[in-house]
Amino acid sequence: MYEETGCFDPNSMVEGPDGLSQVLKPPPPPVPLMAGSTTNSHNSFEDNIKLSAEELSYHHCNPHQEVDASAAMDIQLQNQQMAFNTHLMQDSSNQVLAFASSSLADASYTPTADLLNLFHLPRCSASSLLPNSSISFTNPTHTTPLGLVGDLPMTDTASASSILYDPLFHLNLPPQPPLFRELFQSLPSHGYSLSGSRDSSLFGGGGDDHVEGSGGGGLYQDGDGEQQFDNGVLEFTWDMACMGKGRKSGKITKHFATERQRRQHLTDKYQALRDLVPNPTKNDRASVVGDAINYIKELLRNVNELKILVERKRCARERRKRLKTEEDSIGNNVHESSSIMKPLGDPDQSFNNGSLRSSWLQRKSKDTEVDVRIVDDEVTIKLVQRKKINCLLIVSKVLDELQLDLHHVAGGHIGDYYSFLFNTKIYEGSSVYASAIANKLIEVVDRHYASTPSSGCY
Amino acid sequence: MEFLGSAMNELCFTQESNRRGRLGRRKVEYDDTREYKSKNLHAERRRRQKLSDRLLALRSMVPIITNMNKATIIEDAITYIQELQQNVKLLSDQLLEMEGSSEEAVQTRSDEINAAEEMKNCGIMEDVQVTNIDRNKLWIKIILEKKRGRFTRLIEAMTYLGLELTDTNVATSKGAMLVSSCVEGSYGDTLTVEQTKDLLLEIIKSI
């Protein structure tokens, strides 16, 4: 239980716009927990009753509803979560999200503001009096590049966010944080998208200095601090993570209030990195970083290879055009053009020959591993397949499609695996590149495996 | 003397341990718990060192770095990887778009013509040999003229007719392709040498 503060009157009521507002039993006026979605008027009155019952348990002044709140509360919160999720999906308004979550948070105790306050004014909350909260508002999703993208749209959830995080922080209830995390994870917002979708702005609210309480690690606020609060006093305390963003500078300065938030934030970043890499192996930090290093190298190789190919194609095209025009002009004017033709041809050749194309990459799928190495026009493909499918035919078909000329093949059945090594040459003029080869091979082989479930028969 | 010696020993130990940092300035008592603790410390330190080295390597690969702390290294790496992925996508789309104009059809014909000529020049003839290795296994050797897509057709024909290649080796030289492989009957039936040889000759003629 938390201490009642003098800042608000637990009995005061907030009329949420609709049904998500939780209603306290009379005589105390209904508690405003949801300034939430407008579609929830039907949302069971029962829920409200139950929630209100729970709230009551947190209220000193309503002794007459001794509800075993914690267990019920959790369930209710989860139910609410579900309700929220559906509603949130319906409503794209960020405010709704904010309010929903805030109201969810509020389920544990009653905030006081009236509707006006909820929407515009930051409340002076009990949080100011309570010790460090252990709740960390983690990133709702794994992928958190959000913080890196400085341009979250500034939304009018600034006010919402202020209230959003307000109630939570003095709750040290252990069951809560995961729920909240779940809630946010299930939010359609997935707050972090490079495009800075509207939803993401849930976490991108007010960057004002005094609107600081953007909760736990991983919530970044946009720096357009124009959104002021009318009664700008939001007494977030030192126990809230204040995310003041450098105004439109693209840089984020984070100040974590708790060490735990910082750690969580870091873990989320590692997870984001892990999700970017195609074949993550182990799940520990060092190997994530190692995988990332290798992946960056692979991407650089791919980019270089593609650049060379594009360049070659472009030169070839230009050369063809030039030859064509020269041919045309030859028909008209024999002497002049013939002398021009040769020197023009050469620079293209030399350019092409100067850059040796090389690339290497590996791809793995569940049963198949492919290693493709390209040097100039020679492609070496190594294929290991874990199921007993003789894929020689399939692969040679694919190689024909990809315009690769088989020079050497070696391989066969080894224990539980089929393993092959193909040495091929690229037919002239074809601009197939390493990752295309690898992806196509894996796709075809896996598809073939899927279509012949019984092993070994072919 | 002894006393001095032991004192010196202690000193050495403590100094050593200071250097290694494992035991600090405590007395050197190698009771079990302390040793495990120190081993763990050592392992933990190595683990941290490994992570830190890798982070350093990651930082060195990313061109745009903002701050130099652990969190921002990861952040910058994430941004960079995404940027590279976008680049790759862009370039490959561009390449695909440029694929429209094709002029390579002419080239392949010339390759094939050369192959036939080369074979003739070296006196290589198309050939099939089959021998029995094991009860069920046969070993085949096929020499054929290399044509585009011919190998695929060969394999296709063989598999449809019930010959499964378990170990294959293909080499090409001078316009000819040499295929040597262990063959088993895919339906479990035993194959005779004669049958198989005839079969293969038929196949080669038809592809």
Side-chain angles (χ1 to χ4, degrees):
Chain A
M1 295 303 183
Y2 58 91
E3 317 157 47
E4 292 283 296
T5 72
C7 287
F8 64 92
D9 175 10
N11 287 334
S12 67
M13 153 173 28
V14 166
E15 303 281 355
D18 266 313
L20 282 183
S21 61
Q22 294 157 2
V23 181
L24 275 183
K25 288 243 155 100
V31 176
L33 291 189
M34 304 296 184
S37 83
T38 54
T39 61
N40 296 331
S41 49
H42 62 281
N43 202 11
S44 50
F45 184 63
E46 286 173 24
D47 273 356
N48 294 340
I49 298 285
K50 283 187 199 154
L51 277 165
S52 65
E54 289 148 18
E55 295 156 39
L56 287 178
S57 67
Y58 288 91
H59 282 290
H60 300 307
C61 40
N62 289 309
H64 71 278
Q65 196 102 28
E66 225 29 53
V67 178
D68 189 26
S70 52
M73 164 87 137
D74 292 353
I75 301 172
Q76 282 309 313
L77 279 176
Q78 281 172 350
N79 289 343
Q80 282 287 336
Q81 238 175 289
M82 290 301 131
F84 288 149
N85 292 345
T86 52
H87 295 306
L88 293 172
M89 310 254 181
Q90 295 160 12
D91 198 331
S92 62
S93 153
N94 296 314
Q95 276 192 339
V96 176
L97 291 174
F99 288 129
S101 39
S102 67
S103 50
L104 184 63
D106 293 350
S108 51
Y109 74 98
T110 57
T112 55
D114 55 12
L115 181 59
L116 261 171
N117 281 352
L118 269 182
F119 278 101
H120 299 296
L121 313 174
R123 280 173 296 129
C124 164
S125 75
S127 62
S128 51
L129 304 181
L130 292 174
N132 245 340
S133 159
S134 64
I135 294 179
S136 61
F137 243 108
T138 63
N139 288 340
T141 63
H142 302 307
T143 63
T144 59
L146 180 62
L148 318 172
V149 181
D151 298 319
L152 293 180
M154 180 61 185
T155 69
D156 48 356
T157 59
S159 53
S161 58
S162 65
I163 302 178
L164 170 65
Y165 304 108
D166 171 48
L168 294 175
F169 284 94
H170 51 284
L171 288 180
N172 270 324
L173 303 171
Q176 296 232 347
L179 290 178
F180 287 119
R181 204 170 302 159
E182 263 177 76
L183 168 67
F184 284 105
Q185 279 172 354
S186 54
L187 287 181
S189 63
H190 285 304
Y192 299 83
S193 61
L194 285 175
S195 55
S197 63
R198 278 206 77 199
D199 288 337
S200 68
S201 56
L202 167 64
F203 305 107
D208 236 10
D209 283 331
H210 31 259
V211 183
E212 281 149 22
S214 60
L219 294 168
Y220 301 91
Q221 287 185 341
D222 186 77
D224 310 344
E226 280 79 24
Q227 191 96 355
Q228 296 290 335
F229 295 97
D230 296 344
N231 312 342
V233 180
L234 182 61
E235 285 185 19
F236 284 105
T237 66
W238 49 272
D239 65 16
M240 301 200 190
C242 44
M243 309 272 221
K245 187 174 168 213
R247 311 285 162 85
K248 294 184 174 134
S249 68
K251 286 205 176 175
I252 299 177
T253 59
K254 303 184 291 296
H255 304 282
F256 292 104
T258 65
E259 169 67 12
R260 191 180 195 190
Q261 287 162 358
R262 192 189 67 84
R263 286 199 305 267
Q264 187 57 47
H265 183 65
L266 194 59
T267 319
D268 293 334
K269 292 227 191 92
Y270 271 99
Q271 186 59 44
L273 193 55
R274 191 177 301 142
D275 291 337
L276 278 178
V277 174
N279 295 320
T281 51
K282 296 194 200 167
N283 274 347
D284 65 310
R285 287 187 179 182
S287 63
V288 166
V289 176
D291 287 343
I293 294 175
N294 291 335
Y295 187 50
I296 290 182
K297 288 187 188 155
E298 176 186 314
L299 283 173
L300 285 170
R301 283 194 297 262
N302 283 352
V303 167
N304 286 337
E305 183 190 10
L306 287 171
K307 277 191 192 157
I308 292 179
L309 284 176
V310 169
E311 194 57 39
R312 266 196 217 166
K313 265 254 161 326
R314 203 171 49 78
C315 287
R317 194 188 274 179
E318 279 174 20
R319 206 182 323 139
R320 251 180 293 127
K321 268 191 225 152
R322 207 179 306 124
L323 284 176
K324 197 161 180 293
T325 57
E326 283 170 355
E327 276 174 18
D328 293 342
S329 63
I330 279 177
N332 303 335
N333 212 336
V334 179
H335 302 292
E336 286 166 16
S337 41
S338 55
S339 54
I340 306 173
M341 239 165 74
K342 272 188 196 153
L344 283 178
D346 290 345
D348 288 334
Q349 296 283 353
S350 56
F351 180 82
N352 272 340
N353 294 335
S355 52
L356 188 72
R357 167 229 186 133
S358 75
S359 73
W360 165 56
L361 58 82
Q362 290 181 322
R363 288 268 188 268
K364 293 187 193 160
S365 81
K366 197 165 75 93
D367 308 312
T368 321
E369 273 179 47
V370 163
D371 181 310
V372 177
R373 296 172 201 229
I374 306 186
V375 174
D376 211 9
D377 62 343
E378 307 226 350
V379 184
T380 306
I381 302 174
K382 195 175 82 161
L383 176 75
V384 177
Q385 167 134 68
R386 250 165 245 145
K387 303 291 178 173
K388 291 191 177 186
I389 312 164
N390 197 338
C391 42
L392 185 57
L393 176 58
I394 301 291
V395 172
S396 59
K397 274 193 188 159
V398 171
L399 294 179
D400 283 344
E401 271 175 52
L402 291 170
Q403 303 186 337
L404 295 173
D405 186 21
L406 263 182
H407 276 219
H408 176 79
V409 179
H413 186 47
I414 300 175
D416 276 341
Y417 296 72
Y418 271 94
S419 162
F420 290 99
L421 179 71
F422 299 89
N423 286 325
T424 62
K425 268 200 155 177
I426 303 183
Y427 283 116
E428 271 228 32
S430 160
S431 62
V432 63
Y433 50 95
S435 53
I437 298 177
N439 290 338
K440 187 103 205 291
L441 276 172
I442 288 222
E443 176 201 330
V444 167
V445 172
D446 282 346
R447 205 191 321 144
H448 177 66
Y449 174 65
S451 64
T452 59
S454 52
S455 66
C457 82
Y458 188 70
Chain B
M1 258 322 168
E2 260 178 49
F3 178 75
L4 242 158
S6 66
M8 281 299 292
N9 275 345
E10 262 195 30
L11 220 92
C12 288
F13 278 134
T14 50
Q15 273 180 359
E16 243 181 75
S17 55
N18 273 342
R19 240 181 290 134
R20 277 175 298 179
R22 274 200 283 172
L23 298 177
R25 286 188 196 84
R26 270 170 272 164
K27 272 187 76 173
V28 178
E29 294 167 351
Y30 286 108
D31 58 311
D32 281 353
T33 54
R34 201 158 290 177
E35 181 162 339
Y36 287 139
K37 218 186 294 181
S38 67
K39 271 193 201 160
N40 202 16
L41 262 172
H42 198 60
E44 176 66 18
R45 190 165 295 139
R46 265 187 291 129
R47 186 191 77 90
R48 284 199 297 268
Q49 186 65 32
K50 177 176 169 194
L51 182 62
S52 140
D53 288 343
R54 290 207 183 164
L55 276 175
L56 214 61
L58 185 62
R59 189 197 305 168
S60 73
M61 301 204 52
V62 175
I64 318 160
I65 50 177
T66 49
N67 286 331
M68 295 296 260
N69 51 9
K70 281 201 223 167
T72 58
I73 297 178
I74 306 275
E75 275 182 42
D76 291 334
I78 292 177
T79 327
Y80 186 54
I81 288 183
Q82 284 170 332
E83 183 189 316
L84 283 179
Q85 282 175 332
Q86 275 176 348
N87 261 1
V88 167
K89 190 160 173 9
L90 201 70
L91 282 172
S92 54
D93 287 342
Q94 213 177 354
L95 199 62
L96 209 64
E97 191 192 344
M98 288 170 107
E99 276 289 327
S101 54
S102 63
E103 52 168 36
E104 62 271 5
V106 190
Q107 302 286 347
T108 53
R109 296 289 162 71
S110 55
D111 292 340
E112 289 173 15
I113 298 170
N114 289 337
E117 280 182 19
E118 278 189 68
M119 268 184 78
K120 236 186 289 171
N121 292 341
C122 302
I124 307 175
M125 302 289 300
E126 294 205 342
D127 189 24
V128 172
Q129 278 184 33
V130 182
T131 51
N132 218 320
I133 298 183
D134 205 356
R135 252 178 308 121
N136 289 335
K137 279 199 208 151
L138 299 173
W139 185 79
I140 60 171
K141 181 179 107 171
I142 306 175
I143 299 179
L144 40 85
E145 181 187 323
K146 192 173 109 178
K147 270 191 223 155
R148 197 165 172 173
R150 204 162 182 211
F151 179 67
T152 312
R153 292 197 288 270
L154 171 70
I155 305 290
E156 201 170 5
M158 285 175 73
T159 41
Y160 284 159
L161 294 171
L163 299 169
E164 184 187 333
L165 299 111
T166 42
D167 288 293
T168 322
N169 222 298
V170 175
T172 54
S173 162
K174 296 191 171 48
M177 186 189 291
L178 168 68
V179 179
S180 62
S181 169
C182 271
V183 168
E184 287 180 15
S186 26
Y187 306 123
D189 49 343
T190 48
L191 310 156
T192 63
V193 175
E194 291 305 322
Q195 273 180 340
T196 319
K197 185 161 181 176
D198 294 335
L199 206 56
L200 287 172
L201 283 167
E202 285 292 326
I203 293 176
I204 291 177
K205 282 198 204 109
S206 62
I207 56 174

